[in-house]
Amino acid sequence: MIDPADHATLLLGTRKNGLWRSTDYGVTWSQVSSFPVKDGAGSGAGISFVTYGPAGSKTVYVGVNDTSKSLYRSTDGGSSWQAVPGQPTGEMPQHGVVSGDGSLYLSYSNSIGPMDATTGSVWKFTPSGGAWKNISPPQGSYGFSGLAVDAQKPSTVMVTTLDRWWPEDEIYRTTDGGSTWKALADKSQRDPSGAPYVGTHTGHWMTALAIDPFDSGHALYGTGNGIWSSKDAGASDSGGTSHWISGARGLEETSLSDAIAPPGGATLITSMGDQGGFRYDSDDSLTQVPSGRIANPLMSSSSDIDFAQSSPSVMVRVGRGGDQDGAYSTDGGLHWNGFTAEPVPSANMGHVALSADGSTIIWAEEGQAPYRSTDRGAHWTKVNGLGTDAVVVADRSTASTFYSLTNGTLSVSTDGGATFTTRTTGLPSGRLTAVPGISGDLWIAGGDRGLLHSTDGGRTFTTLTTVKSAYALGFGKAASGASYQALYLLGTVDNVTGVFRSTDKGATWLRINDDAHQWGAIGSLGMITGDPDTFGRVYIGTNGRGLQYGDPS
């Protein structure tokens, strides 16, 4: 929080290391030694908010995620601190905001969120007399979190519920300092065209809420799916309807599990957490907000997707959160049919592989050994020779051949996945991939043990000296004049960790990202694939930044 009386001074509340101050616009920092909480507090989550009192008062409030002493105050600009007398106990403050008349409004929950809140409250503290007042909207088995006060109208406050799963989370608004509240969910109209797949409900995990200090009608709040904003948030004050629009424009903090780029078909189809996945049917669609998630069945999260290399319009995906946890398509992902049976009751997610001709599916659900189906998910039989959570990969040319790399042991099936036998041991654990169109051509991204290549179905492997570490490898259209697929790598080359392309089987590498484009955890948690129809195009799946794609400049 920036000191409104001195913009060079900032206070930072941390989760595990107490309160910190900068007096030079954030260039240098020192811990505030006088603040009594210097660790994660009782919850392990430390400080929840920092807020300054009225201008000129030298008052600062700090909320701590603790159920006994959770609110501290300084009246000398942060030199000394005292717990505020009479404060609520049993819950933890989520947000605290000082209004124009000096009152402090606070939202409380028994969980730091975003899940598991089962109680909550909203309080008003009047410093002049030290009075506390419970001004909660209707309470239930949920918490309160997002909190905002109108800078121009000190008695106008908005607050969100947290984890009120039914009928949905709510936004409450008061214009009399909390004496009465109005619920906005049924008094609002929502336009989700910025992200149609999020629907028209208020949202969930609503922990950030703000009212524009220069425009009382302009309000925004965050959800697990992005941001909603309104220009007439106060319409309900006079009995009207407020209007909200989704500002996400396709952005969501999702994690990519996998993505496929089938040759000659859809440009890309994704498998991801939170949203399940999307189909991008053309190059132009990559820059458009998808109209909806992959449905029939709809999966709230999808853990894997694959297509048949010799028949790329046939594909499978697996996940959870729908009527069925697995599905197949025979028209390139335009339409899907759920598996009519599952290998193991109450299991889901996991990894899936589809034979090169699309005739055999092998699915290893979470915590289970792999099962195979030759009738598109109607019946399943347990695979012989593989243990729990084995990851199976199809040969991209020979339909009867599958591979599995588990704990450094490569196993192979040549009977359509019915039986696996050990072929090679002593390999690094890592990600096994098969080159499209070449039987027995395999690569292992072996983490710190680098990148390994086999051309004989995994009987022997050669470690590339050009790669220091390898976390994920993908393939794309060969460069002009080259006969072998372009390689795309998440790894370390010449002591630089980044994204690389090779057009000569890994003999040399070109870095294709830079220090400004690293997207968080794209190493061991990322995925990568090239485009089979457009040389140089690459798709990168991140852990939290969604899907990125790039073309050569």
Side-chain angles (χ1 to χ4, degrees), residues 266-279:
T267 296
L268 193 76
I269 304 176
T270 58
S271 168
M272 64 174 68
D274 296 345
Q275 300 296 345
F278 299 91
R279 183 183 190 273

Side-chain angles (χ1 to χ4, degrees), residues 153-168:
K153 302 172 183 178
S155 295
T156 296
V157 183
M158 296 175 67
V159 66
T160 69
T161 61
L162 178 63
D163 300 339
R164 196 186 86 161
W165 303 112
W166 189 90
E168 62 179 319

Side-chain angles (χ1 to χ4, degrees), residues 16-65:
K16 297 185 181 300
N17 296 287
L19 185 66
W20 291 69
R21 177 189 287 115
S22 172
T23 57
D24 54 11
Y25 299 94
V27 177
T28 60
W29 294 84
S30 60
Q31 191 177 42
V32 179
S33 59
S34 61
F35 191 73
V37 178
K38 298 179 175 62
D39 53 22
S43 66
I47 294 172
S48 56
F49 72 84
V50 178
T51 189
Y52 283 87
S57 68
K58 293 190 176 181
T59 298
V60 189
Y61 296 98
V62 174
V64 176
N65 284 300

Side-chain angles (χ1 to χ4, degrees), residues 303-304 344 347-352 362-371 382-383 385-393 403-409 420 429-431:
S303 57
D304 207 4
V344 180
N348 51 37
M349 301 288 275
H351 294 276
V352 68
I362 298 182
W363 182 11
E365 295 181 275
E366 286 184 346
Q368 304 295 327
Y371 281 72
K382 189 175 182 179
V383 168
L386 293 179
T388 300
D389 288 322
V391 179
V392 176
V393 173
Y403 309 94
S404 179
L405 178 65
T406 306
N407 298 323
T409 296
F420 282 78
S429 296
R431 300 188 190 182

Side-chain angles (χ1 to χ4, degrees), residues 296-299 319-326 337-340 342:
N296 300 319
L298 183 71
M299 299 176 188
R320 68 179 175 208
D323 295 332
Q324 291 127 326
D325 297 323
N337 301 279
F339 297 158
T340 56
E342 292 194 24

Side-chain angles (χ1 to χ4, degrees), residues 173-525:
R173 180 179 173 92
T174 178
T175 57
D176 53 17
S179 296
T180 60
W181 294 88
K182 289 185 178 180
L184 301 190
D186 291 336
K187 297 292 183 181
S188 61
Q189 292 182 359
R190 297 176 176 274
D191 174 11
S193 56
Y197 46 88
V198 307
T200 57
H201 290 290
T202 54
H204 66 291
W205 297 354
M206 296 153 53
T207 59
L209 175 65
I211 299 174
D212 188 336
F214 305 104
D215 180 357
S216 295
H218 183 203
L220 306 95
Y221 70 92
T223 77
N225 284 323
I227 296 175
W228 287 93
S229 63
S230 174
K231 291 290 188 178
D232 59 358
S236 62
D237 297 349
S238 55
T241 298
S242 58
H243 300 79
W244 299 80
I245 61 172
S246 170
R249 294 299 303 165
L251 297 177
E252 210 271 357
E253 67 276 27
T254 190
S255 174
L256 263 289
S257 302
D258 201 1
I260 57 172
T267 296
L268 193 76
I269 304 176
T270 58
S271 168
M272 64 174 68
D274 296 345
Q275 300 296 345
F278 299 91
R279 183 183 190 273
Y280 302 87
D281 57 6
S282 66
D283 289 358
D284 290 341
S285 67
L286 292 174
T287 60
Q288 304 298 317
V289 176
S291 59
R293 297 181 286 169
I294 300 175
N296 300 319
L298 183 71
M299 299 176 188
S300 60
S301 287
S302 176
S303 57
D304 207 4
I305 189 169
D306 197 12
F307 71 93
Q309 189 69 47
S310 302
S311 184
S313 61
V314 180
M315 50 190 63
V316 293
R317 59 187 173 97
V318 295
R320 68 179 175 208
D323 295 332
Q324 291 127 326
D325 297 323
Y328 70 91
S329 172
T330 59
D331 59 6
L334 282 170
H335 304 90
W336 293 83
N337 301 279
F339 297 158
T340 56
E342 292 194 24
V344 180
S346 302
N348 51 37
M349 301 288 275
H351 294 276
V352 68
L354 186 61
S355 62
D357 63 357
S359 63
T360 302
I361 304 167
I362 298 182
W363 182 11
E365 295 181 275
E366 286 184 346
Q368 304 295 327
Y371 281 72
R372 69 190 289 265
S373 173
T374 57
D375 54 11
R376 294 176 176 168
H379 301 88
W380 298 88
T381 56
K382 189 175 182 179
V383 168
N384 292 315
L386 293 179
T388 300
D389 288 322
V391 179
V392 176
V393 173
D395 189 279
R396 308 307 287 185
S397 177
T398 303
S400 60
T401 301
F402 290 86
Y403 309 94
S404 179
L405 178 65
T406 306
N407 298 323
T409 296
L410 181 77
S411 301
V412 181
S413 171
T414 57
D415 58 3
T419 304
F420 282 78
T421 57
T422 298
R423 176 165 287 179
T424 309
T425 59
L427 297 169
S429 296
R431 300 188 190 182
L432 178 69
T433 51
V435 175
I438 306 177
S439 184
D441 197 315
L442 306 175
W443 293 80
I444 297 174
D448 292 339
R449 288 183 60 180
L451 185 63
L452 292 78
H453 184 209
S454 173
T455 58
D456 57 7
R459 292 175 178 84
T460 60
F461 280 88
T462 300
T463 301
L464 273 68
T465 59
T466 54
V467 176
K468 181 178 181 180
S469 64
Y471 302 106
L473 185 76
F475 311 103
K477 184 178 181 179
S480 177
S483 59
Y484 196 81
Q485 296 263 311
L487 305 179
Y488 295 89
L489 173 73
L490 299 180
T492 304
V493 176
D494 293 331
N495 292 318
V496 176
T497 299
V499 185
F500 299 88
R501 182 179 70 228
S502 174
T503 57
D504 54 13
K505 292 188 180 182
T508 60
W509 296 89
L510 171 71
R511 189 183 184 193
I512 56 175
N513 76 322
D514 58 26
D515 290 345
H517 298 85
Q518 301 188 72
W519 310 293
I522 59 170
S524 60
L525 297 175

